[in-house]
Amino acid sequence: MAAHENKSPGAERQLQIYSEAAQGRLPAFPVSFVDLEERARAVIDPHAWGYIEPGAGSGDTLDSNQEAFLDWEIVPRVMSDVSSCRLEVRLFGTTLKSPILLAPIGLQGIVHAEGELPAARAAASLGMPFVLSTLSSKTIEETAAAMGPMPRWFQLYWGARRDVVASLVGRAERAGYGAVVLTVDAKMLGWREADLAHGYLPPMRGEGLANYFSDPEFRRTLPKPPEEDPRAAVMQFLETATNLELSWHDLGWLRERTSLPVLIKGILHPDDARAAVDHGVDGIIVSNHGGRQVDGVVASIRALPEVAEAMNGRVPVLFDSGIRNASHIVKALALGASAVLVGRPYLYGLAINGEEGVRDVLLNLLAELDITARLCGITSVQELDASWVRAI
Ligand code: FNR
């Protein structure tokens, strides 16, 4: 969102909402995260909700991802000229309009008939990178087609078959994805109580496997194509989905297969960040998978400062898990993140109102970020550093 002299996109959105209210039309779309979550819950199938919202185990990390933001307070500066406030950031040689990306969320078909396409379109309309999950309901190519030339990254789950991994990465590169995000905190599925209670595992019925079912390498070893025998295709996926042996040394192999920047998602320890960079990755995403993988692990925001310090600018550090509002973004950037990824909030927007719903979530977040930044005396998010926050 480019800022113009004395023109705040945040204030414009505010004014638009107040003006419509003055004519008797209150915003149809929820503004607060609490309302967003409540509305989403009302429209999402209860079993799907049990997959989406909770954290692993008893949800301690899910909760602390939020609470931990209170460990820091923003210290605003006043009386600086904020007639211009730049939200742009530069990552891997390209300029992003804002420091916000859409986190990879698999299986979006469980909340919307068009799967990932509405969120991808909404992201494209705002110039925000959409990170497509390996486990998506629509394919790499379908999603790319929905986005035109707008920025997108591909999130990789590295299973037991290298031929399939190489094929997926090659497809992403050919389809114009600008980076590969290797998620490393999900070698296995976390212990998810609601899903266990419901016996709910969508890939079991083929959901989220579009990239596999359309993959030539995956199809090559099936007795019959997935269209004729979906059961056998699902079984082949389940047998090869995990790769417990995967270690740092494998990164060299991936590096050789793609010229795209490779980011590692799911880093919480500074030593792991150092190891990742020593093995050739181009970026780090500090994340605990939205609290969905290991209950009791450190809140993502508490892990960020040490990782950022260890990186000391060697590669960009991105952040996710728990971003719900603009103050969270300001704090993450101040603590060393170059950009943040947002997860559940946009999925809730998708469930409530498809592409428009995702746009509303993102536009509200952008508006709030613009307003928060200007009110804090920030003229460019790139100037954010630890001097803007105070630890409690
Ligand atoms: C995820 N996440 C995820 N991550 C990933 O690398 N590949 C994936 O396929 C998925 N799938 C997925 C499904 C659902 C329903 C959720 C909620 C999350 C994790 C995601 O990328 C991100 O790390 C978290 O969602 C960020 O936390 P918040 O913003 O949801 O708190």
Side-chain angles (χ1 to χ4, degrees):
M1 190 177 285
H4 308 288
E5 278 306 288
N6 273 324
K7 214 168 159 200
S8 150
E12 278 175 20
R13 186 160 174 87
Q14 241 178 356
L15 191 61
Q16 185 196 340
I17 293 173
Y18 289 130
S19 306
E20 285 185 21
Q23 292 162 43
R25 291 191 301 274
L26 280 176
F29 194 80
V31 177
S32 76
F33 180 73
V34 172
D35 291 347
L36 180 72
E37 192 170 51
E38 198 181 293
R39 286 272 296 280
R41 184 175 194 148
V43 297
I44 293 177
D45 160 79
H47 286 188
W49 182 257
Y51 172 74
I52 292 165
E53 191 275 337
S58 45
D60 289 348
T61 295
L62 180 74
D63 293 342
S64 62
N65 274 345
Q66 299 291 287
E67 290 156 11
F69 278 102
L70 299 175
D71 287 2
W72 289 272
E73 293 170 331
I74 302 166
V75 185
R77 308 298 304 272
V78 295
M79 290 301 279
S80 50
D81 176 356
V82 290
S83 57
S84 164
C85 175
R86 309 197 69 85
L87 301 186
E88 292 93 343
V89 292
R90 270 190 79 73
L91 272 183
F92 309 117
T94 55
T95 301
L96 305 184
K97 288 185 174 177
S98 77
I100 305 171
L101 296 89
L102 283 76
I105 291 198
L107 319 153
Q108 294 186 26
I110 64 177
V111 304
H112 197 285
E114 279 193 278
E116 288 73 19
L117 302 186
R121 279 191 224 111
S125 75
L126 298 169
M128 286 182 185
F130 179 76
V131 189
L132 180 73
S133 167
T134 295
L135 287 177
S136 51
S137 305
K138 296 289 177 182
T139 65
I140 291 169
E141 294 79 9
E142 288 167 321
T143 308
M147 296 190 73
M150 300 314 279
R152 50 185 169 271
W153 295 359
F154 177 64
Q155 177 268 320
L156 177 65
Y157 276 134
W158 189 326
R161 281 181 56 181
R162 280 193 168 185
D163 58 343
V164 175
V165 172
S167 176
L168 291 170
V169 170
R171 286 169 62 189
E173 195 157 353
R174 285 192 297 280
Y177 290 72
V180 173
V181 174
L182 174 64
T183 298
V184 292
D185 60 6
K187 278 190 173 181
M188 306 161 79
L189 202 57
W191 185 256
R192 300 182 184 165
E193 294 180 354
D195 293 342
L196 291 164
H198 298 144
Y200 185 77
L201 186 65
M204 203 70 133
R205 39 169 222 261
E207 183 58 71
L209 303 185
N211 286 325
Y212 291 95
F213 286 10
S214 59
D215 192 83
E217 291 302 320
F218 184 85
R219 294 171 72 97
R220 190 173 50 79
T221 48
L222 287 170
K224 284 183 190 166
E227 303 79 51
E228 284 173 37
D229 188 354
R231 188 81 214 133
V234 166
M235 289 318 294
Q236 176 169 290
F237 165 75
L238 293 173
E239 281 158 15
T240 57
T242 55
N243 177 359
L244 295 180
E245 291 174 4
L246 194 68
S247 73
W248 295 121
H249 303 290
D250 294 305
L251 287 180
W253 177 87
L254 179 62
R255 260 280 55 116
E256 281 169 22
R257 253 135 214 95
T258 178
S259 56
L260 297 175
V262 174
L263 293 91
I264 296 260
K265 173 173 180 280
I267 296 286
L268 295 169
H269 196 294
D271 288 349
D272 278 352
R274 286 189 199 98
V277 175
D278 290 345
H279 287 86
V281 311
D282 306 285
I284 300 288
I285 304 181
V286 172
S287 167
N288 59 29
H289 216 106
R292 300 164 60 76
Q293 280 299 96
V294 188
D295 194 25
V297 300
V298 57
S300 202
I301 193 70
R302 287 200 186 108
L304 175 62
E306 272 186 67
V307 172
E309 197 188 335
M311 289 298 92
N312 194 22
R314 281 170 82 190
V315 299
V317 175
L318 280 66
F319 171 86
D320 82 21
S321 299
I323 296 281
R324 300 290 176 263
N325 60 42
S327 81
H328 294 160
I329 299 176
V330 169
K331 289 178 186 181
L333 298 185
L335 294 171
S338 299
V340 303
L341 295 86
V342 174
R344 292 180 185 84
Y346 88 78
L347 192 67
Y348 295 163
L350 174 69
I352 295 167
N353 196 22
E355 181 180 340
E356 265 318 296
V358 178
R359 269 178 63 83
D360 277 324
V361 167
L362 298 173
L363 282 169
N364 282 347
L365 200 53
L366 277 172
E368 192 193 6
L369 179 60
D370 176 64
I371 289 170
T372 303
R374 287 176 204 254
L375 286 175
C376 289
I378 297 159
T379 55
S380 163
V381 292
Q382 300 196 34
E383 72 199 38
L384 282 166
D385 61 19
S387 69
W388 291 89
V389 289
R390 200 191 63 159
I392 296 286

